[in-house]
Amino acid sequence: MTICPGCGSTSTSKLFEVTADEASRHFINPRQYPDRSRKLTCHLSDLWGGNTCDVRKCSDCGFGFADPFVAGGAEFYNLALVYPCFPTMKWEYARTIEELTGLDTLGKTTLEIGAGLGYFLDCVKNKFFNISDISAADYNEISLSVLESKGFKTFSSDFRQSSFDPLKDSFDFIFMFQVFEHMDKVDDVFARLNYLLKTQGTIFIAVPNENRTYYMEAYGSLVDMPPNHIGRWTKEAFSAICERHGLQLSKCEREPFDLAKFLKQDIVHSFLRKAQKPGTLSEFVRALPRSKAQRIAQGLTALAISPSRLPAWAYAVSNASTLGGSALWARIDKVS
Ligand SMILES: [Zn+2]
């Protein structure tokens, strides 16, 4: 019997399964990196204790999750991510800034977990918070040196561990954007957030919009592959975990649908999905050495497969209001 990590219900069902080889191909092209690809496949089998991982969904809170519910660790990310990418402006940043505008932030302390290169913190420093009141946690060494050079107080240790320096009730605001969906032991995460947060403090979380994930999987685009993302959060799942930890889910909103953004992402993602299939033109082009010519070839191949996306786009446009954009955003308050 599998228990939903979101709400604790036993009413869950299997959506599909992935093999270690399929998951490995999602991250690494074996033609391009044969050795790395083999190591990643082995590592995934070890992590899962077998050759497959299921993706299940809870019928009570809608939470979707990898089973086994285990996150990728440093070894996984070192093998799977060849070029780490650091985002710039995102809707969830703008939405959080809009929310902060209505709050008393003067002299308040903040922590961003998974701060990347500090793009979000750059947007809020001086405007809402003093630099000396801003802390940033990340694993990545490039991130840490950039964050430090910008004057933020940095932490490289896992905020769930007791070795993470800040004390109880350290922060008025905690930000966690596109991080929580990577995490297992979600009750430990929430217990720790609660511990670090002051009373009357607020957490802002953004995760992928699960409606977009299911659209992509149903229409032959990328799979939201474990063990990179292992949780598909919903408003109901956030509500359940907040309740268990005495926190209040004050707001939960889906990013609005934006046609131009949608089309751009869909073309890229469906090309990347095709490039996972051995012997396709997309796979061949994707595996060429990185150069300007390769980028142009990738762009042309992606455009060439676009007409086959028309049925998917027709579906998306006619369901735009429920489908929404890339992110699901939540404001969580510690009221007592
Ligand atoms: Zn559930």
Side-chain angles (χ1 to χ4, degrees):
M1 194 165 55
T2 315
I3 291 172
C4 168
C7 75
S9 165
T10 53
S11 177
T12 72
S13 57
K14 178 171 161 176
L15 297 180
F16 58 90
E17 70 175 27
V18 292
T19 65
D21 183 59
E22 283 164 352
S24 176
R25 281 176 186 279
H26 174 94
F27 301 104
I28 290 291
N29 184 329
R31 191 197 291 267
Q32 206 172 6
Y33 304 101
D35 192 41
R36 197 168 175 149
S37 156
R38 258 193 315 275
K39 279 186 189 149
L40 180 57
T41 307
C42 287
H43 175 65
L44 291 173
S45 299
D46 288 348
L47 192 72
W48 293 336
N51 190 40
T52 60
C53 176
D54 291 348
V55 173
R56 302 184 70 87
K57 190 173 183 180
C58 171
S59 60
D60 286 326
C61 75
F63 185 63
F65 57 100
D67 177 32
F69 191 56
V70 285
E75 187 177 354
F76 166 71
Y77 286 103
N78 284 328
L79 286 167
L81 300 184
V82 184
Y83 304 100
C85 108
F86 299 106
T88 52
M89 197 54 187
K90 290 184 160 207
W91 170 79
E92 53 267 39
Y93 298 167
R95 183 64 190 85
T96 302
I97 289 165
E98 183 191 335
E99 197 72 6
L100 287 172
T101 308
L103 299 171
D104 176 21
T105 58
L106 200 70
K108 299 289 172 78
T109 52
T110 73
L111 167 68
E112 183 175 7
I113 296 163
L117 300 183
Y119 186 85
F120 172 74
L121 294 177
D122 287 340
C123 299
V124 297
K125 72 180 179 196
N126 301 329
K127 192 170 175 205
F128 296 101
F129 309 105
N130 301 319
I131 287 209
S132 56
D133 292 331
I134 299 179
S135 298
D138 210 292
Y139 295 123
N140 186 284
E141 283 177 15
I142 300 167
S143 296
L144 286 167
S145 67
V146 171
L147 292 165
E148 212 161 293
S149 73
K150 288 180 171 180
F152 305 123
K153 189 169 183 204
T154 59
F155 297 95
S156 60
S157 58
D158 187 331
F159 79 102
R160 287 170 289 186
Q161 309 291 323
S162 53
S163 58
F164 184 80
D165 296 348
L167 300 170
K168 189 169 165 32
D169 305 335
S170 291
F171 303 105
D172 296 289
F173 293 95
I174 298 179
F175 307 107
M176 202 160 75
F177 300 127
Q178 308 297 339
V179 170
F180 195 40
E181 69 275 15
H182 296 259
M183 294 176 156
D184 56 15
K185 302 187 182 79
V186 291
D187 278 291
D188 292 356
V189 173
F190 260 62
R192 190 71 182 158
L193 290 172
N194 203 354
Y195 172 88
L196 293 168
L197 196 65
K198 289 185 190 177
T199 304
Q200 308 299 326
T202 300
I203 306 167
F204 291 102
I205 293 187
V207 293
N209 167 9
E210 83 283 5
N211 287 352
R212 285 287 285 265
T213 302
Y214 294 118
Y215 155 79
M216 286 167 67
E217 290 175 347
Y219 281 89
S221 180
L222 285 177
V223 172
D224 196 30
M225 192 64 81
N228 179 36
H229 291 176
I230 58 168
R232 301 162 176 212
W233 290 90
T234 62
K235 184 180 179 183
E236 292 73 20
F238 274 132
S239 175
I241 196 166
C242 285
E243 199 173 313
R244 283 204 296 284
H245 294 271
L247 295 165
Q248 177 185 299
L249 179 64
S250 302
K251 293 185 180 178
C252 188
E253 297 172 15
R254 224 177 278 290
E255 177 177 357
F257 183 84
D258 175 317
L259 184 62
K261 259 172 97 176
F262 165 80
L263 289 175
K264 197 174 151 198
Q265 281 179 351
D266 194 80
I267 290 171
V268 172
H269 290 162
S270 54
F271 164 75
L272 291 174
R273 176 67 192 277
K274 282 213 164 47
Q276 291 167 19
K277 294 201 181 72
T280 59
L281 174 65
S282 302
E283 191 238 358
F284 173 77
V285 169
R286 179 103 180 112
L288 293 172
R290 273 163 82 94
S291 65
K292 196 174 174 195
Q294 187 251 2
R295 280 201 302 280
I296 292 169
Q298 277 199 136
L300 290 174
T301 314
L303 276 182
I305 61 177
S306 295
S308 68
R309 300 298 297 161
L310 286 173
W313 294 350
Y315 169 84
V317 169
S318 56
N319 292 277
S321 61
T322 42
L323 191 59
S326 305
L328 182 72
W329 171 91
R331 171 181 166 172
I332 294 166
D333 291 300
K334 183 172 178 175
V335 272
S336 58

